[in-house]
Amino acid sequence: MPAHSHYQTLKEKWTARRHAVKQRVITKHQNVLQWLWDSFPHKQHIAATSLSALLLLIPPLPQLHSPLNAQHANLTSQTQSTSSKSHLVTDLSSIVPSEIRPLSPEEETQITYVLSRDLNMPVKSELQGIRLNRSYGKIGGEQHLARYPGDTLAKHAIDPNDHKMFLRSGMAPGLGSFRYFAESAQTMTQKDIDRERYYIAAPYHLSEGYNDHVTEYKDFFKFRKMIVVNPKTGAAVVTVIGDAGPGQSTGKHLGGSPEVMHYLDLGTGARKGAVLYFFVDDPSDTIPLGPVN
Amino acid sequence: MKTYFYSHLVEIETITTKLNEIDIAVHEREELVEIVHDTIHHHVIDAVLDELNEEDKKQFLKLLVHNDHDTVWQHLKQKVANIEDKIKSAINTIKQEFHADMP
């Protein structure tokens, strides 16, 4: 693990101070900032101003935002409500760049704060000093992965809907970079099933420091919980890193399982689009995988 | 670097000079300087809002959104005595905190 440098020490302290200053402004002057927000029905008018960062930190008032329920949604239940998805779209619209490019540190700070607030979970761009090479990019569809030795595509279906919606993508001929999710069909748990259903392929080998700490980094990224968000629709899915990839020559920055693509509203047509993706800081593993309800 | 109504009062050369003496990469230094500017910006807004009543705060914020620097100053000088000194004092306070963190 990389040693803590002067830069990292100062960055942590100064980022915390900046956040504290912003929070102080919000706490003391929330009413008038809320008034300003309400004064501009077309939010893009204030999106580019020096106040946009503050306005996005205003806690959602009960009449403005519906609190999001972070409990697990089964396959047939509804995903995020239309109103909560549209609020997320609005909140992100002024800070997510139109160009699909790596985010600046300031953009990451703002976006992770909005996501943490709106999705009611701790969203981080960096954990334990480790981060992916980027957090905003194009996602493309991946195939199902073998969960245990002898697994077949048909066994991935839970019900007839599953068969129709998720099995068209097929199953990868080889194993994911972490190999199987379970030792056998008999020992496979619901967690193993969910990990394969909601896996993403991420180029963790491109993370800074990976080549000097291969084993540690691979352990860190194996089944690492991540939130993936479609900023155009507000769809969000809690996933795990289940594979390495995609290859840089594909033009994609991330891969999503068929279920992940479906719940990101990217399951049809070209099956690709721009997404935000960050760590979910959940050491107790209490946040369920799947679409955010 | 963005220009704000108070930008002529901000000088962080002492901070950048000290950062230049620390063993960090150029892009890391630039990132830290950006954090300093952003923190100062919100600290100044806080200091100004503290001096204004509710109606004057709204007017100030509207002017800020429209980025009308001259009118912002006119408004503040009408409403708050010695506003420039108060902003300078706020900036110096936060600068000292940054200095205290550096090796």
Side-chain angles (χ1 to χ4, degrees), chain A:
Chain A
M1 203 68 62
H4 223 60
S5 62
H6 287 309
Y7 158 69
Q8 284 169 322
T9 303
L10 288 177
K11 182 179 171 181
E12 275 173 23
K13 286 186 181 176
W14 291 9
T15 302
R17 175 173 298 121
R18 175 176 58 182
H19 184 70
V21 168
K22 287 182 182 177
Q23 280 303 118
R24 193 170 67 229
V25 179
I26 297 292
T27 304
K28 286 161 60 181
H29 309 293
Q30 180 177 344
N31 288 344
V32 72
L33 289 169
Q34 186 68 60
W35 166 86
L36 183 72
W37 180 257
D38 295 338
S39 301
F40 287 84
H42 301 291
K43 304 305 177 200
Q44 63 269 25
H45 292 163
I46 50 175
T49 73
S50 64
L51 295 171
S52 60
L54 274 182
L55 294 171
L56 287 168
L57 293 180
I58 296 174
L61 298 180
Q63 65 271 25
L64 294 179
H65 291 269
S66 308
L68 288 174
N69 183 345
Q71 285 182 6
H72 181 62
N74 65 43
L75 290 174
T76 56
S77 76
Q78 64 180 346
T79 55
Q80 292 161 269
S81 68
T82 305
S83 121
S84 58
K85 281 171 86 171
S86 65
H87 279 308
L88 185 55
V89 170
T90 302
D91 289 348
L92 291 173
S93 63
S94 61
I95 39 177
V96 175
S98 50
E99 181 196 351
I100 305 173
R101 56 163 175 78
L103 299 173
S104 70
E106 171 70 16
E107 286 166 339
E108 282 193 333
T109 300
Q110 291 180 355
I111 289 169
T112 53
Y113 188 85
V114 167
L115 293 181
S116 296
R117 181 192 67 192
D118 288 8
L119 301 179
N120 195 29
M121 62 180 71
V123 176
K124 305 268 175 75
S125 56
E126 185 176 299
L127 278 182
Q128 300 169 31
I130 299 175
R131 51 186 299 123
L132 284 170
N133 61 329
R134 56 191 291 162
S135 48
Y136 180 45
K138 277 190 208 161
I139 191 170
E142 301 283 341
Q143 296 181 299
H144 281 289
L145 295 173
R147 298 165 299 179
Y148 53 85
D151 193 13
T152 64
L153 182 62
K155 290 176 187 168
H156 282 70
I158 293 179
D159 60 33
N161 261 340
D162 244 26
H163 212 280
K164 188 175 145 190
M165 284 165 67
F166 304 130
L167 298 197
R168 288 175 300 170
S169 309
M171 196 157 105
L175 298 178
S177 64
F178 303 123
R179 301 183 60 77
Y180 296 111
F181 293 77
E183 286 184 2
S184 66
Q186 291 73 33
T187 58
M188 184 170 66
T189 62
Q190 187 60 48
K191 183 187 271 192
D192 298 326
I193 294 171
D194 288 345
R195 280 175 168 171
E196 192 279 334
R197 286 186 80 85
Y198 303 112
Y199 88 89
I200 55 172
Y204 58 81
H205 51 286
L206 297 178
S207 295
E208 189 180 337
Y210 176 83
N211 289 334
D212 296 326
H213 305 277
V214 173
T215 305
E216 290 168 61
Y217 273 52
K218 202 165 174 182
D219 283 344
F220 172 87
F221 282 112
K222 183 178 179 181
F223 305 143
R224 178 62 54 181
K225 195 171 282 183
M226 302 207 58
I227 184 75
V228 184
V229 178
N230 180 340
K232 286 194 176 154
T233 69
V237 186
V238 179
T239 71
V240 294
I241 298 179
D243 198 6
Q248 286 181 280
S249 61
T250 64
K252 296 182 291 184
H253 307 104
L254 203 73
S257 71
E259 285 85 345
V260 165
M261 297 301 286
H262 170 75
Y263 289 112
L264 285 174
D265 301 332
L266 295 171
T268 56
R271 292 184 74 231
K272 58 183 178 185
V275 292
L276 299 160
Y277 42 105
F278 295 98
F279 297 119
V280 178
D281 188 5
D282 183 23
S284 305
D285 194 18
T286 58
I287 298 171
L289 302 181
V292 176
N293 195 15

